[in-house]
Amino acid sequence: MPINNNIFQKNANTALVTEAIWLKGEVSRVDISRSLHLYRSTVTNLISFLLESGVVLEGETSKSPSQGGRKPILLSLNDSFGCVMGIDIQPSHYRIAILSFSGKTLCEEKGSLGDISLEDMIWNILDIAFAMHSERVKTPVLAICFSIPGVINNETGEIIYSNPFKIEKFNLKNYVKSKYDYP
């Protein structure tokens, strides 16, 4: 199947521009253009798409450049765009952190569930995470990330082997997707 190079390039550049904003916190279009070696018109088009999508916000203007001209408008990620749940599961305990779109910790919790199966542990922890989210966070969940000891296939979401949990060939991604539709 042939790849449409224009779409691939636009997606790659969009990811680079978004990452540049994330890394800097606040940055102008001109600074993004310079740091990524992209045409200003390319950056302007990508920023327009990100603004329309609600991913990026325009903020304060920075001081005028030394050469004169218009004051650059600073761009930042829109924290109300969404959040990500991070879940670390160990046999003895769990940790949950909900992060804003820009990576700030919004809330976190840790605890233990006693001696239960990994499958039951996953559902209990997700129930706790979604309760935390509904009580403390007002943005939509964009994704759920898991950390678990063992050998994991990141692409398929399969736990190939986890000695602490005494499991093999367990597809965590499909298991979670059977109840929750999040990446």
Side-chain angles (χ1 to χ4, degrees), residues 83-99:
C83 65
V84 175
M85 289 182 180
I87 299 172
D88 176 39
I89 303 175
Q90 301 293 327
S92 62
H93 63 279
Y94 67 86
R95 276 178 259 183
I96 302 167
I98 300 178
L99 305 176

Side-chain angles (χ1 to χ4, degrees), residues 163-181:
N163 189 40
F165 284 104
K166 308 275 189 267
I167 58 170
E168 288 184 41
K169 297 187 187 280
F170 176 77
N171 195 306
L172 177 61
K173 181 179 178 179
N174 289 343
Y175 187 71
V176 172
K177 280 220 175 252
S178 71
K179 188 172 178 181
Y180 295 102
D181 190 28

Side-chain angles (χ1 to χ4, degrees), residues 147-163:
S147 166
I148 185 167
V151 179
I152 316 291
N153 181 329
N154 273 347
E155 290 182 24
T156 65
E158 181 180 37
I159 301 169
I160 297 166
Y161 182 76
S162 175
N163 189 40

Side-chain angles (χ1 to χ4, degrees), residues 10 13-22 27-33 36 38-59 73-77:
K10 181 180 180 183
N13 286 340
T14 302
L16 288 171
V17 167
T18 306
E19 181 183 35
I21 297 168
W22 176 69
V27 65
S28 70
R29 289 170 178 82
V30 172
D31 289 337
I32 293 170
S33 176
L36 298 177
L38 293 172
Y39 291 113
R40 279 187 254 169
S41 60
T42 300
V43 171
T44 296
N45 290 335
L46 294 172
I47 294 299
S48 293
F49 169 74
L50 292 170
L51 286 166
E52 288 170 20
S53 303
V55 173
V56 169
L57 297 173
E58 288 182 321
I73 297 170
L74 297 178
L75 303 162
S76 62
L77 292 180

